[in-house]
Amino acid sequence: MAEHFISCKNVCFNYEGRSDAALKNVSLNIDKGELVAVLGHNGSGKSTLAKHLNGILTAQSGDVEVAGYNTKDENNIFNLRSRVGMVFQNPDNQLVATIVEEDVAFALENLGVEPKEIRKRVDEALEAVGMSEFKLSQPHKLSGGQKQRVAIAGVLAMSPDCIVLDEPTAMLDPKGRAQVMDTIIKLNRERGITVVLITHFMEEAALCDRIVVMNDGEVFLDGEPKEVFKHAQKLKDVGLAVPDVTSLCNSLQKLGVEIETSINKDEFIENIQKLLIG
Amino acid sequence: MLSDITIGQMFPGNSLIHKLDARYKIVFTIIFMVMLFCANSLIGMAITLLFVIFIYLLAKIPLTMLLKSLKPIIPIVIFMTVFNVFFYSGETVIFKWGIIKLTLEGLKMTGVMMFRVISVISGTAMLTYTTSSIELTDAIESLMSPLKKVKFPVHDLSMMMTIALRFIPTLIEETDKIMSAQKSRGADFESGNIIKRAKALMPILIPLFLSAVTRAGELATAMESRCYRGGEGRTKMKQPKSDKRDYISLVFMIVLTALVISLNYIKF
C-alpha cells in the first residue's frame, strides 16, 4: 500500500454551511523527499488540502494516507502529527511559550520526551534554522521572518519526515520571505525532509521540484515548474501569473525565438547566452 | 505609549536571588508576608525593613525600580495617613480641633500601616523582578501539583497563564495599531465626559475581541498540530531543581520570622 509517502484518494470536503465543496475529488501522491509547491488563488482549497495532511480535517469521502497512517485513524493521530509538522501563516498565532527555546520544546514536551533529549533536539533544531543566538529571546521581540523560523524549528524538533507549510511567507517582508524560503529549501536538500509548501507566490513555487496548481477545489495542473509554467494562459485563467522571466520566454517563443523556457533570472541569462553564443 | 506597560516586569540578573528555585521564592514571599504582619515591635519592624533593603542590595535591583513600583500606591498611602492620623481614637492627645484630634496612638498606627504597605509591595515585587514569567508559571504548577489528586486542572491553569503572558505584548501592540487606525479616521478618545469616552472605546474593543478570538482558534490548531493533548504524559525540558542555597535560604527565612515574632513578647 504505502508506495507513496502522502497519498490522497478521491478526497472530498465541505465546510459546514457552505454550498460549494472546498475539495472535490482530489487525488494526489507525493513521494518521500519531494519539494512540492501547492499553488492557487484564495479559496482554491489549498489550505483545506494542507489541513488534511495531518488530520486536522478529515476527508468526508475518500482517504488520505500519510506515512502509512490513515488520517481518519484516531488512535494514531499523534503518531501521524509527530511525523508531519505543520507551519501556519501567522507567526504570532502559533508560538505558545514566552521564550523561544521553550516554544521549540513545546511539541517534544507534549510527546513526553526525556528532558535531556528535549534539550539536545531543541538546540539542534534552532541551529538548523539559524536561530540559536535568539534562543532566550521573547517571541514578540523578533521579526516576522525570525518568528516563522522559530515556528519551523518547533516542528523540526519532532524530527518529522514531512513539513507542511501553509503560506508561511504571506505576512512577511521580502527579507523575511527569503530567510524562510532558504531555510525550507535547505531542510529539504540536506535532510531529505518532504516539504509541501502552500503558497500563492510564483517565485517561491519556481524554486520547488514540482508544482500542484489547485483551482475550485480540484487539482488543475501538476508537474515540474517548467511544465506547469508552459501553460501561461491556463494559469492566467485561474488568476495566477507565471514569473516575469517565464512570461518573457513564452513571448519570445511565440515570436519564433528558440529559447528554452526559464523559470528564474539566472537560468534565463544562461539560456540567452547559449542562444547568442551558440 | 501602551508598550510602556510591562506586567510582571523582570529585571534580569545573575544574583543569588535570581538563581533561587522559583518554587522556593514563592514560599519565601508567603513567609515574608507572615513575618510582616506579625511584626508588632519596633525592633521587629526595623529588622523586616532592613531585610527588604538587604534583599534588594543582594539582587542588585536599583532603588529607582522600587520607587517606580511604589508610585501607584502613593494616593492610597496619603488617604490612609489622613484617616489614621486624625480619626484614630487614642488617649494621648497632642492636638485637638473640633472632632479632629491628633493622638500619639494615631501617629504610631499610621507609621505601622505605612511600613506594612511599603514592605508588602517591595517584598512581592522582588519575586517578579527576579523570576521570569515562565519560571513563575512552572513553579505554580509544581507547587499546586498535589491538587491534581482532587482532579483540580493544575496543568490547564498553568498553560492558560503561559498563553496569557505570551499574548499580552501581542495584544498591546495590536491595541496600539487599532487605536492609531481609528484615530486616523477621526476617532476622538481624549475629550468628553466619562460616558462619552467609554463609548469611544467601543471601536477599539470590538476589533480587538474579534482578532483575539481568531488568534485563539489559530493557536488551538497550531497546538494540536504539535501534538498537544493536555497535561497527561507531558514532560518538561527544564526540570525545577532545588539545591543547598534554597534549603539554607529557607532555614534563614524561618529563623528570621521566628525572631521577629518572638520580639513581640519581649519587653525592653
Side-chain angles (χ1 to χ4, degrees):
Chain A
M1 176 65 243
E3 312 122 20
H4 301 289
F5 184 69
I6 296 172
S7 83
C8 305
K9 260 188 236 119
N10 310 322
V11 176
C12 294
F13 187 82
N14 243 31
Y15 282 105
E16 237 172 276
R18 294 268 189 87
S19 53
D20 51 334
L23 292 179
K24 298 172 195 158
N25 230 3
V26 172
S27 293
L28 182 69
N29 294 320
I30 293 171
D31 286 321
K32 220 167 174 169
E34 271 193 286
L35 176 56
V36 185
V38 178
L39 268 175
H41 62 84
N42 292 338
S44 60
K46 56 189 197 302
S47 284
T48 312
L49 179 67
K51 287 190 179 124
H52 276 78
L53 299 182
N54 74 346
I56 290 175
L57 298 176
T58 49
Q60 280 152 351
S61 74
D63 279 299
V64 180
E65 273 189 31
V66 182
Y69 300 112
N70 190 314
T71 56
K72 284 179 189 163
D73 181 3
E74 290 279 335
N75 299 324
N76 278 320
I77 196 76
F78 292 111
N79 291 335
L80 167 70
R81 286 185 186 158
S82 67
R83 299 190 61 185
V84 182
M86 189 102 147
V87 176
F88 297 89
Q89 186 183 69
N90 189 334
D92 271 324
N93 295 354
Q94 52 185 322
L95 302 181
V96 186
T98 44
I99 292 176
V100 166
E101 61 171 12
E102 294 275 348
D103 188 82
V104 177
F106 181 71
L108 296 174
E109 290 178 341
N110 290 336
L111 291 168
V113 178
E114 288 298 309
K116 263 190 196 155
E117 176 73 12
I118 298 183
R119 181 81 258 173
K120 204 179 111 211
R121 279 159 72 173
V122 165
D123 289 343
E124 276 172 11
L126 280 170
E127 183 72 50
V129 299
M131 287 294 289
S132 290
E133 54 179 313
F134 295 99
K135 73 177 180 184
L136 295 176
S137 304
Q138 294 176 319
H140 69 95
K141 292 198 172 141
L142 303 177
S143 74
Q146 289 171 332
K147 278 186 232 178
Q148 207 57 294
R149 281 189 286 158
V150 171
I152 294 174
V155 298
L156 194 62
M158 296 192 286
S159 33
D161 301 316
C162 172
I163 299 181
V164 180
L165 303 107
D166 190 357
E167 300 200 44
T169 60
M171 300 180 77
L172 306 182
D173 56 12
K175 199 176 149 208
R177 205 177 290 162
Q179 289 172 347
V180 170
M181 277 314 288
D182 285 348
T183 310
I184 295 168
I185 291 168
K186 201 177 112 197
L187 293 178
N188 174 263
R189 300 284 185 252
E190 288 175 11
R191 299 180 175 224
I193 295 173
T194 312
V195 172
V196 180
L197 174 70
I198 315 284
T199 181
H200 60 249
F201 289 111
M202 276 295 173
E203 285 72 18
E204 286 174 8
L207 297 170
C208 297
D209 301 334
R210 176 178 161 198
I211 297 180
V212 175
V213 182
M214 300 278 297
N215 185 45
D216 263 342
E218 287 171 291
V219 176
F220 185 68
L221 287 170
D222 182 356
E224 278 179 40
K226 262 183 211 174
E227 291 301 312
V228 170
F229 289 157
K230 274 182 188 158
H231 306 282
Q233 191 53 46
K234 265 184 162 178
L235 286 169
K236 217 175 168 184
D237 291 342
V238 298
L240 296 167
V242 295
D244 291 340
V245 274
T246 314
S247 159
L248 184 58
C249 286
N250 289 343
S251 307
L252 285 171
Q253 282 164 355
K254 259 185 215 154
L255 290 172
V257 183
E258 283 175 21
I259 185 168
E260 265 180 70
T261 307
S262 334
I263 55 173
N264 62 44
K265 232 189 281 169
D266 294 339
E267 199 184 308
F268 181 69
I269 292 168
E270 215 173 274
N271 285 336
I272 284 278
Q273 280 172 342
K274 237 192 271 168
L275 198 71
L276 293 178
I277 299 161
Chain B
M1 159 192 92
L2 277 173
S3 46
D4 291 341
I5 301 172
T6 40
I7 295 173
Q9 192 183 37
M10 192 197 170
F11 200 83
N14 218 359
S15 71
L16 171 73
I17 311 285
H18 285 87
K19 280 184 196 149
L20 287 177
D21 186 339
R23 293 174 299 172
Y24 277 79
K25 276 193 265 188
I26 293 176
V27 173
F28 292 164
T29 310
I30 296 166
I31 297 178
F32 172 73
M33 296 223 260
V34 171
M35 177 163 103
L36 193 58
F37 285 94
C38 288
N40 285 323
S41 65
L42 203 60
I43 295 184
M45 285 189 268
I47 290 176
T48 315
L49 213 55
L50 280 177
F51 172 71
V52 172
I53 295 167
F54 170 68
I55 293 291
Y56 270 80
L57 290 177
L58 202 61
K60 296 197 180 82
I61 307 271
L63 219 62
T64 44
M65 281 281 277
L66 177 61
L67 292 178
K68 234 197 243 165
S69 67
L70 288 175
K71 222 165 138 193
I73 61 154
I74 289 174
I76 304 171
V77 171
I78 292 174
F79 181 76
M80 275 183 8
T81 313
V82 170
F83 261 74
N84 270 307
V85 166
F86 294 110
F87 298 106
Y88 191 81
S89 50
E91 278 163 15
T92 335
V93 180
I94 302 171
F95 171 81
K96 196 172 169 173
W97 188 73
I99 52 158
I100 297 167
K101 59 178 178 182
L102 185 66
T103 64
L104 194 63
E105 286 80 4
L107 276 180
K108 265 192 194 164
M109 190 63 199
T110 311
V112 172
M113 282 291 231
M114 271 173 67
F115 151 76
R116 284 195 178 148
V117 171
I118 290 172
S119 309
V120 101
I121 304 265
S122 42
T124 45
M126 176 52 74
L127 180 65
T128 52
Y129 283 159
T130 59
T131 321
S132 75
S133 50
I134 199 117
E135 279 176 315
L136 215 52
T137 46
D138 281 355
I140 292 170
E141 182 176 0
S142 168
L143 283 175
M144 281 169 55
S145 58
L147 288 177
K148 274 181 195 157
K149 289 207 176 94
V150 290
K151 298 235 164 98
F152 187 81
V154 176
H155 165 77
D156 308 67
L157 205 70
S158 92
M159 195 72 220
M160 274 157 61
M161 283 200 294
T162 309
I163 292 173
L165 285 168
R166 151 79 184 83
F167 277 91
I168 286 170
T170 310
L171 289 176
I172 288 176
E173 211 174 277
E174 181 148 43
T175 314
D176 246 355
K177 265 189 213 156
I178 296 173
M179 273 176 91
S180 310
Q182 303 290 34
K183 267 187 199 159
S184 72
R185 295 181 209 165
D188 179 10
F189 302 118
E190 267 111 37
S191 61
N193 56 22
I194 289 180
I195 296 168
K196 217 173 169 188
R197 277 197 221 181
K199 269 190 184 160
L201 283 180
M202 287 310 276
I204 299 175
L205 291 180
I206 292 170
L208 192 65
F209 268 92
L210 265 178
S211 106
V213 171
T214 316
R215 278 180 198 282
E218 281 181 27
L219 185 70
T221 314
M223 284 169 72
E224 262 188 68
S225 297
R226 286 208 266 160
C227 304
Y228 183 69
R229 54 194 132 166
E232 226 166 290
R234 211 165 178 271
T235 48
K236 283 260 168 203
M237 175 169 72
K238 286 178 188 154
Q239 296 292 317
K241 258 205 319 254
S242 48
D243 57 21
K244 226 158 85 193
R245 55 177 170 238
D246 298 304
Y247 313 140
I248 294 171
S249 312
L250 182 64
V251 172
F252 175 72
M253 282 300 286
I254 292 171
V255 169
L256 197 68
T257 309
L259 176 73
V260 167
I261 293 173
S262 57
L263 278 171
N264 290 342
Y265 302 99
I266 298 169
K267 291 249 162 68
F268 294 96

